[in-house]
Amino acid sequence: MSPSVPLQEMIRAIRSARTQCEERGVIQRECAAIRAQFRQADNGGRSHNLAKLLYVHMLGYPAHFGQMECVRMIASPRYSEKRVGYLGAMMLLDEKQDASLLITNSIKNDLSHSNQYVQSLALCTLACMGSAEMCRDLAPEIDRLLRASNSYIKKKAALCAVHIVRKVQDLGELFAPTARSLLAEKNHGVLHGAVVLITELCGQNTETLEKFRKTVPDLVQIMKGLVISGYSPEHDVAGISDPFLQVRILRLLRILGRNNEAASDAMNDLLAQVATNTDSTKTVGNAVLYETVLTVLDIKSESGLRVLAVNILGRFLLNNDRNIRYIAMTSLQKIVGTDHNAVQRHRGTIVDCLKDQDASVKRRALELSLALVSATNIRSMMKELLLFLSSCPPELKAEAASGIFNAAERYAPSQRWHIDTILHVLTTAGGDVRDETVPNLIQLITNTSELHCYTVHKLYRALLKDISQQSLVQVACWCIGEYGDLLVKGECQETEPVQVSEDDILDALETVLQSHMSSPTTRGFALTATMKLSTRITDNVDRIRSVVSIYGSCIDVELQQRAVEYNALFKKYDHMRAAVLERMPVIEKNSPGHTNGVSTGEPVKELKPVQVKQGEPQHAANQVCDLLDLLGGSEEPQQPQLAACSVVPAPPISTSTAGGDLLDLLGGLEPTPLPLLTPAPTMTVYEKDGVTLTLSCEKQSDSGLMVTLTASNSTDSNISGFTLQAAVPKSVQLHMKAPSGDSLPPSDTAKVTQMVVLNNPNKVNLKMRIRICYTIRGSTVQDTIQIDSFPTH
Amino acid sequence: MIKAILIFNNHGKPRLSKFYEHYTEDTEQQIIRETFHLVSKRDENVCNFLEGGMLIGGSDYKLIYRHYATLYFVFCVDSSESELGILDLIQVFVETLDKCFENVCELDLIFHVDKVHNILAEMVMGGMVLETNMNEIITQVDAQNKMEKAETFIFQSTRQDR
């Protein structure tokens, strides 16, 4: 075994190794030598060995065999050995190791050592890796040191106490009185430690916080001393007197002044003074100013002071130094909720920061911009955000896309703008959007019936250009399937007319079907769309038939199943094909937390961008199930109603689709209970042109109400397509059951009943607005009524 | 609270690593590597704050770094520390090293790792800032070094007596 060498030589040897393998060899030899040395009795070079081991540990090699040696070194009387031993303890030991218990006694002895440096070593190690038991054992010692020792030890003991309090919260009471008395010290190091200790104590316990509020005058005094006093060479950093202490005290003042008028008043003058007197040309000055601003905004300060604070932040935003701009935006983020208007004034600068090269600044600017979007500035902000999306770094794309969707959802000035925006996002960042985007977009499109033509044209063109963005392709396929006839017609008011033949459409869909870029879900969409087109277009039905039969032997089980069923639809059930593939009715939005029967057991998922789109197989599976149902020979003439199975964030008015008895056949759904209708008070809410609507309600539970609407027709013409839609105030939940029918024969021969279940947990004043639509004598009639009072028992 | 203090060179070799919370050895090395990756990608004229990586903590943690010649000084802190304050602390640390080693360079840090640890122990204790006054720190470090030298001298002289 090679003789041990002092630390420097070993380092030189390691550095001269040219390859990783050589280095490992050197280190292994050294470690073997060190281990042998450890086993030997006391010799002069012990501290060197441990130092070498610690160096090796830093490079990443295992060094656990040194733990016992650390324990032995700490117990040694020599200072050099103690020093390395404690350093080793901090690096190698932690509270989970058994060896750490062994040093408790040594630390205890060293805390009472005559030499202050030995005491400081012990304090340092305890603060670094002290476990809960060690802290409990040694807390009285620390308290003693806090009271009676020199300032060097006091400041270390204060920080050690912070560590103890963090580990064992009950010991906070032990240190509270001592902490208070430490505020009278002159030494800045001790003051600093005391302020940190008090901050920690206040953070843990609200009663302690109340007690420490009495120290606010003392703290204000200390701060004044720091700010006003002349040049003091020992504490000066670039012209400011001990900025670190100032920052700490300001932070503590913030905690003490929060939600407390009296304390905030005491601080107002001081904060104003600091804000105006501090020199902001250097970083230290900015640090103090920044802390002051945060404190002003967090406590109950007077309005003049708040304005001053926001102005300082505005100045920070225009600063050339990127660091300052970064933290200005961080603090603006914190206050954008409370002082929204003040932050809006700086919107221009913030939006400019979106174009900064620095990724950190961009991220902050993005978060802040999204928080600043409002109904007035939505158009200009969206332009900027979309520009940002096309050039932003990939890690921010998902966040930006979802933020844009939320903003568009809340503040869209027009439907067309909304659709355009979503399409734009899908084309630029389609791979990073949430799974729910596709059903949300589809829902939006079906709701804006006047723009169907425009939408389908736009989507068709986007599809021709690029079929790699899956979400975009899915939406496009769905729309082409639904509105293919509008596409073929060719004329559209909003965009330039383009001649699209049926073959072109089918070509596009086939490309999607065959491309290797398409995911299985997308293929499913394309196949269903092709099938739907068989009723919309007239010439190429045979082509469709052949496409569908090809996929009857596809490897993908899902596609195969669909193709086989569609084939069956062509062959055996051709008479039903038209009815099955009719236009989808308008999908109505779900209220959040209201899982409609269709989404069988699908939980509301958290949003993760790049994952298998589980929403889509569900969506598509429902279509298949619906078809299966009809093929199974249900007598219901109703069209299958497809409800979106995802949650739409914050819709102002919530209605849910009528479940329909069809859905009971899907199995595993919430059973729709039919309560017995006991005679309940009725009132007539609508009577016009021979159509009468009466309402009766019955209390179900503490907050639930069952409302029954009955309609009758006293004219002598048949009424068809009779539908009711209802809207209630925001906090009330509404669930509409299936209507008993949709046609009213003349002269009151039969009635239509519709049951609505309301849940009013907040007990707000119940109002309902009902829209009635029906067709009589070939023309459609629409009317809206508002019900302000409900008859109750 | 400061979670970790790392010094590494432009190639990612660690020159000092001090963790104020316990991690296993593998995790520590991974943290050093990950931090190096994050920090080395940065341009010269961007801001000195980075969101932390995955390993060392969630969204609350930031990396505050400064680049001096061939060395990166990185402090990983949580939201209870003032970012600009930590930047100044790094400056004070480097100035103290400069005073102690007389025009410090990377080689000094390599061959005297234990001394750097001792200096750091006077500035940051248990993850909290202890002392920021450069002169005070240097006084204490000098006194401790003197004590050590005195011991070795005594030891050597007693040996010679035998």
Side-chain angles (χ1 to χ4, degrees):
Chain A
M1 108 187 105
S2 56
S4 64
V5 293
L7 178 60
Q8 270 85 357
E9 290 181 29
M10 181 189 87
I11 297 178
R12 225 167 272 139
I14 294 177
R15 278 168 63 80
S16 60
R18 271 175 229 293
T19 64
Q20 183 80 332
C21 184
E22 248 186 83
E23 181 181 296
R24 246 178 287 146
V26 172
I27 289 182
Q28 268 170 2
R29 273 196 302 274
E30 284 299 327
C31 283
I34 293 171
R35 260 188 291 237
Q37 295 273 340
F38 283 169
R39 269 180 256 130
Q40 282 181 13
D42 177 41
N43 58 10
R46 258 172 45 176
S47 55
H48 293 296
N49 288 325
L50 193 53
K52 277 190 270 182
L53 189 60
L54 294 178
Y55 183 82
V56 162
H57 171 79
M58 181 182 78
L59 288 181
Y61 296 91
H64 43 83
F65 54 86
Q67 286 172 6
M68 283 314 291
E69 188 66 14
C70 291
V71 176
R72 249 177 272 142
M73 301 272 279
I74 289 174
S76 143
R78 301 183 55 201
Y79 178 71
S80 51
E81 293 185 356
K82 267 201 210 284
R83 204 181 206 187
V84 181
Y86 274 119
L87 184 61
M90 280 192 273
M91 285 177 76
L92 298 176
L93 292 177
D94 72 289
E95 41 190 59
K96 297 193 200 83
Q97 314 279 2
D98 299 327
S100 61
L101 288 171
L102 298 172
I103 62 174
T104 313
N105 208 25
S106 304
I107 295 184
K108 192 166 190 170
N109 291 336
D110 284 337
L111 281 176
S112 338
H113 204 273
S114 48
N115 187 326
Q116 65 170 0
Y117 295 114
V118 175
Q119 282 179 312
S120 86
L121 282 177
L123 283 169
C124 195
T125 312
L126 183 61
C128 215
M129 42 79 66
S131 66
E133 292 88 43
M134 286 166 74
C135 290
R136 247 186 261 270
D137 285 337
L138 298 168
E141 285 290 313
I142 307 292
D143 192 45
R144 186 181 57 82
L145 286 172
L146 267 181
R147 281 176 221 275
S149 48
N150 60 19
S151 41
Y152 177 68
I153 295 297
K154 266 194 198 160
K155 77 182 178 200
K156 294 210 173 189
L159 286 187
C160 200
V162 176
H163 176 88
I164 291 179
V165 166
R166 276 194 193 142
K167 281 275 173 201
V168 184
Q169 311 216 326
D170 309 326
L171 290 171
E173 292 142 19
L174 175 64
F175 292 113
T178 335
R180 178 98 194 250
S181 57
L182 281 176
L183 280 181
E185 293 276 333
K186 291 274 174 286
N187 181 304
H188 281 211
V190 181
L191 272 178
H192 188 269
V195 172
V196 177
L197 180 58
I198 296 176
T199 314
E200 185 67 32
L201 289 171
C202 291
Q204 286 189 353
N205 194 334
T206 35
E207 290 165 14
T208 334
L209 179 68
E210 299 293 326
K211 275 189 232 147
F212 274 112
R213 282 232 174 84
K214 300 189 203 103
T215 60
V216 170
D218 300 321
L219 291 167
V220 170
Q221 206 54 38
I222 300 174
M223 268 302 279
K224 276 215 174 91
L226 287 172
V227 173
I228 302 177
S229 71
Y231 177 69
S232 130
E234 51 186 50
H235 300 302
D236 185 270
V237 179
I240 309 227
S241 182
D242 207 345
F244 297 98
L245 184 59
Q246 287 194 28
V247 165
R248 282 264 172 236
I249 293 182
L250 283 167
R251 220 171 253 251
L252 180 56
L253 285 175
R254 192 185 330 159
I255 296 176
L256 293 176
R258 206 178 275 157
N259 289 331
N260 186 305
E261 291 282 346
S264 310
D265 284 335
M267 295 177 217
N268 267 325
D269 288 335
L270 169 71
L271 292 171
Q273 205 168 29
V274 175
T276 36
N277 284 355
T278 313
D279 174 23
S280 64
T281 46
K282 294 275 174 69
T283 315
V284 275
N286 284 325
V288 176
L289 267 179
Y290 172 58
E291 208 63 40
T292 317
V293 165
L294 285 181
T295 306
V296 166
L297 293 171
D298 214 9
I299 64 175
K300 289 191 180 314
S301 51
E302 51 189 32
S303 57
L305 202 51
R306 286 187 97 89
V307 168
L308 178 62
V310 178
N311 285 345
I312 294 180
L313 279 182
R315 257 203 342 254
F316 277 178
L317 264 184
L318 299 167
N319 197 312
N320 280 330
D321 187 350
R322 280 206 178 83
N323 290 335
I324 310 284
R325 260 189 276 170
Y326 177 89
I327 54 167
M329 282 198 277
T330 318
S331 37
L332 283 174
Q333 183 84 29
K334 291 191 194 136
I335 62 167
V336 77
T338 45
D339 295 81
H340 192 95
N341 294 331
V343 183
Q344 282 279 7
R345 250 178 273 142
H346 303 287
R347 203 182 70 232
T349 330
I350 295 171
V351 167
D352 280 334
C353 287
L354 278 174
K355 303 185 193 107
D356 199 302
Q357 302 167 352
D358 185 340
S360 307
V361 172
K362 268 198 203 163
R363 183 191 288 262
R364 287 270 161 258
L366 175 66
E367 284 173 16
L368 207 46
S369 308
L370 288 173
L372 284 178
V373 172
S374 75
T376 40
N377 57 28
I378 177 74
R379 280 191 197 265
S380 45
M381 286 295 275
M382 198 49 81
K383 234 185 280 171
E384 294 290 339
L385 285 170
L386 288 174
L387 205 63
F388 173 71
L389 188 65
S390 44
S391 61
C392 81
E395 59 266 12
L396 290 177
K397 267 208 165 122
E399 205 182 315
S402 57
I404 290 177
F405 281 147
N406 278 336
E409 183 88 35
R410 262 188 279 163
Y411 301 113
S414 74
Q415 301 276 33
R416 178 177 160 173
W417 182 92
H418 194 172
I419 292 180
D420 277 341
T421 313
I422 298 190
L423 285 180
H424 193 136
V425 174
L426 283 179
T427 28
T428 34
D432 296 303
V433 298
R434 281 186 267 160
D435 304 344
E436 335 172 311
T437 319
V438 175
N440 283 349
L441 181 55
I442 291 179
Q443 191 179 73
L444 186 64
I445 292 176
T446 51
N447 278 333
T448 50
S449 42
E450 59 275 12
L451 287 175
H452 283 164
C453 195
Y454 166 74
T455 317
V456 74
H457 268 98
K458 244 191 138 177
L459 282 170
Y460 176 70
R461 242 167 280 181
L463 190 66
L464 287 180
K465 244 190 280 178
D466 172 25
I467 58 171
S468 61
Q469 305 275 36
Q470 296 302 302
S471 12
L472 185 63
V473 173
Q474 284 169 12
V475 176
C477 288
W478 193 90
C479 283
I480 293 177
E482 270 302 292
Y483 309 119
D485 47 340
L486 294 174
L487 193 58
V488 172
K489 254 194 250 159
E491 27 166 273
C492 179
Q493 298 140 325
E494 318 253 346
T495 62
E496 329 96 53
V498 142
Q499 263 315 94
V500 181
S501 77
E502 301 176 355
D503 273 317
D504 292 334
I505 307 181
L506 289 172
D507 281 337
L509 287 175
E510 267 201 71
T511 331
V512 174
L513 268 173
Q514 289 162 359
S515 159
H516 58 272
M517 286 192 277
S518 309
S519 70
T521 335
T522 317
R523 286 223 184 90
F525 267 89
L527 191 59
T528 312
T530 318
M531 188 60 195
K532 282 194 214 169
L533 282 175
S534 69
T535 48
R536 314 268 198 268
I537 62 181
T538 41
D539 295 336
N540 299 31
V541 183
D542 287 326
R543 183 172 169 188
I544 295 181
R545 210 183 275 219
S546 60
V547 168
V548 166
S549 52
I550 290 175
Y551 279 89
S553 46
C554 172
I555 289 183
D556 187 321
V557 178
E558 168 75 26
L559 282 179
Q560 190 186 63
Q561 183 180 11
R562 284 183 197 218
V564 165
E565 282 159 6
Y566 294 156
N567 253 337
L569 202 55
F570 267 122
K571 297 207 187 98
K572 285 201 277 177
Y573 296 94
D574 206 29
H575 54 282
M576 294 186 79
R577 188 161 53 91
V580 168
L581 297 174
E582 250 184 19
R583 270 262 210 282
M584 289 282 187
V586 171
I587 300 173
E588 294 173 28
K589 289 186 179 179
N590 269 341
S591 58
H594 213 113
T595 41
N596 194 286
V598 178
S599 50
T600 50
E602 163 98 321
V604 176
K605 336 198 282 319
E606 282 310 301
L607 320 156
K608 282 201 194 303
V610 197
Q611 271 191 7
V612 178
K613 298 195 162 66
Q614 288 176 7
E616 301 327 308
Q618 185 74 10
H619 177 99
N622 290 332
Q623 289 179 309
V624 175
C625 286
D626 286 340
L627 289 175
L628 261 180
D629 254 302
L630 291 167
L631 294 173
S634 145
E635 299 129 10
E636 277 288 358
Q638 274 185 351
Q639 301 148 2
Q641 295 204 350
L642 195 71
C645 50
S646 56
V647 172
V648 176
I653 299 176
S654 52
T655 55
S656 67
T657 58
D661 302 324
L662 255 187
L663 300 173
D664 283 340
L665 296 167
L666 286 172
L669 308 169
E670 33 184 70
T672 55
L674 292 173
L676 300 168
L677 271 185
T678 54
T682 60
M683 69 182 204
T684 311
V685 291
Y686 177 77
E687 201 165 340
K688 197 168 148 192
D689 297 333
V691 179
T692 325
L693 188 68
T694 57
L695 177 146
S696 75
C697 32
E698 183 201 276
K699 246 173 129 48
Q700 295 271 295
S701 64
D702 197 34
S703 58
L705 191 68
M706 167 80 87
V707 175
T708 311
L709 297 156
T710 318
S712 60
N713 173 12
S714 58
T715 64
D716 50 9
S717 322
N718 198 18
I719 286 181
S720 60
F722 186 86
T723 48
L724 290 169
Q725 288 170 312
V728 287
K730 238 188 244 197
S731 55
V732 182
Q733 290 151 16
L734 176 147
H735 181 60
M736 286 184 94
K737 305 271 173 76
S740 63
D742 70 341
S743 64
L744 287 168
S747 312
D748 286 329
T749 356
K751 293 194 199 295
V752 166
T753 41
Q754 164 107 50
M755 294 204 274
V756 183
V757 180
L758 295 173
N759 189 17
N760 186 5
N762 294 348
K763 305 269 197 290
V764 302
N765 203 9
L766 201 54
K767 293 193 217 273
M768 192 182 327
R769 197 177 285 175
I770 300 186
R771 190 193 292 179
I772 305 168
C773 305
Y774 58 89
T775 316
I776 186 169
R777 295 186 213 103
S779 54
T780 9
V781 177
Q782 235 189 46
D783 215 340
T784 318
I785 46 168
Q786 176 141 339
I787 306 170
D788 291 316
S789 61
F790 280 74
T792 46
H793 295 299
Chain B
M1 179 176 151
I2 303 176
K3 282 221 124 172
I5 297 180
L6 305 169
I7 305 180
F8 43 76
N9 71 356
N10 288 346
H11 302 292
K13 276 229 111 120
R15 296 299 174 214
L16 179 104
S17 66
K18 181 88 183 163
F19 290 88
Y20 292 100
E21 250 194 25
H22 182 74
Y23 300 101
T24 60
E25 287 167 358
D26 290 332
T27 322
E28 284 184 3
Q29 289 301 310
Q30 255 184 303
I31 291 173
I32 296 176
R33 271 197 300 271
E34 188 188 47
T35 315
F36 170 65
H37 267 125
L38 286 172
V39 161
S40 56
K41 272 192 287 194
R42 306 278 283 172
D43 256 342
E44 276 310 311
N45 49 359
V46 298
C47 72
N48 298 95
F49 310 116
L50 258 181
E51 314 297 306
M54 300 297 291
L55 284 174
I56 204 157
S59 51
D60 196 20
Y61 296 101
K62 284 201 195 51
L63 296 171
I64 301 178
Y65 73 96
R66 272 206 130 125
H67 191 184
Y68 294 93
T70 56
L71 289 174
Y72 284 99
F73 285 71
V74 183
F75 279 46
C76 179
V77 303
D78 70 3
S79 55
S80 71
E81 298 286 338
S82 156
E83 292 101 337
L84 292 179
I86 295 288
L87 263 187
D88 285 323
L89 188 67
I90 301 180
Q91 183 68 19
V92 171
F93 183 36
V94 173
E95 279 174 17
T96 316
L97 286 176
D98 200 35
K99 263 261 178 77
C100 286
F101 284 105
E102 250 116 280
N103 280 331
V104 67
C105 63
E106 193 180 337
L107 283 177
D108 288 321
L109 296 188
I110 297 171
F111 284 104
H112 299 282
V113 172
D114 48 343
K115 291 212 179 53
V116 181
H117 269 286
N118 295 333
I119 294 174
L120 191 58
E122 290 297 320
M123 287 182 70
V124 179
M125 189 171 110
M128 294 164 280
V129 177
L130 174 65
E131 179 64 60
T132 52
N133 185 329
M134 194 168 74
N135 295 324
E136 174 73 21
I137 299 170
I138 294 178
T139 323
Q140 301 299 339
V141 170
D142 283 342
Q144 293 181 20
N145 287 340
K146 237 180 259 172
M147 253 185 69
E148 246 192 78
K149 276 206 193 82
E151 266 185 4
T152 17
F153 180 62
I154 294 171
F155 185 67
Q156 279 177 350
S157 51
T158 46
R159 252 180 140 195
Q160 280 164 359
D161 284 347
R162 287 209 189 120

